[in-house]
């Protein structure tokens, strides 16, 4: 599958989706920002767009815009707690670099 979710990420996403009965899934994507070029986005999706690729993981629909898919295909999404902080962690095989703070990443030119 192009996007993988760990058990911790699945549990967290199930919790978020249970709080919003109108959500159809979780939208995973990227946006241009940061010192390295791109940042990940994770949001609840209210609808499936025409250009979305949809992947089912244990009842969680993960939606990815077709334009973002080449940048994040093969990414594993995890969810971790460290002290008082908790966040999704991304292991992206396409990333060729990350900024020092870990908030953004770089990829070589995608065809």
């Amino acid at each position: 599958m192009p996007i993988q979710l760990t058990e911790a990420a699945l549990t967290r996403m199930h919790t978020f989706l249970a709080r919003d009965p109108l959500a159809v899934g979780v939208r995973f994507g990227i946006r241009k920002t940061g010192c390295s070029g791109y940042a990940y986005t994770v949001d609840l999706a209210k609808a499936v767009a025409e250009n979305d690729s949809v992947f089912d993981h244990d009842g969680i629909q993960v939606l990815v815009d077709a334009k973002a898919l080449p940048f994040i295909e093969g990414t594993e999404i995890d969810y971790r707690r460290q002290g008082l902080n908790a966040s999704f962690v991304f292991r992206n095989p396409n990333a060729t670099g990350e900024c020092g703070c870990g908030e953004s990443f770089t990829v070589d030119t995608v065809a």
Side-chain angles (χ1 to χ4, degrees), residues 7-88:
E7 287 299 317
L10 278 168
T11 299
R12 186 63 174 170
M13 290 181 185
H14 275 295
T15 300
F16 278 134
L17 287 168
R19 294 180 187 164
D20 189 345
L22 298 178
V24 298
V26 177
R27 182 172 303 284
F28 175 47
I30 60 171
R31 62 183 165 87
K32 286 188 174 189
T33 189
C35 50
S36 288
Y38 298 97
Y40 300 105
T41 60
V42 180
D43 299 298
L44 292 179
K46 300 293 184 176
V48 176
E50 186 176 310
N51 60 342
D52 282 339
S53 292
V54 181
F55 309 100
D56 186 79
H57 291 277
D58 190 33
I60 300 287
Q61 283 195 32
V62 178
L63 293 73
V64 180
D65 180 278
K67 290 180 183 177
L69 191 56
F71 293 89
I72 57 178
E73 189 168 14
T75 296
E76 179 185 71
I77 304 173
D78 193 9
Y79 183 76
R80 291 196 187 147
R81 290 188 174 275
Q82 292 180 325
L84 298 176
N85 298 318
S87 64
F88 287 107

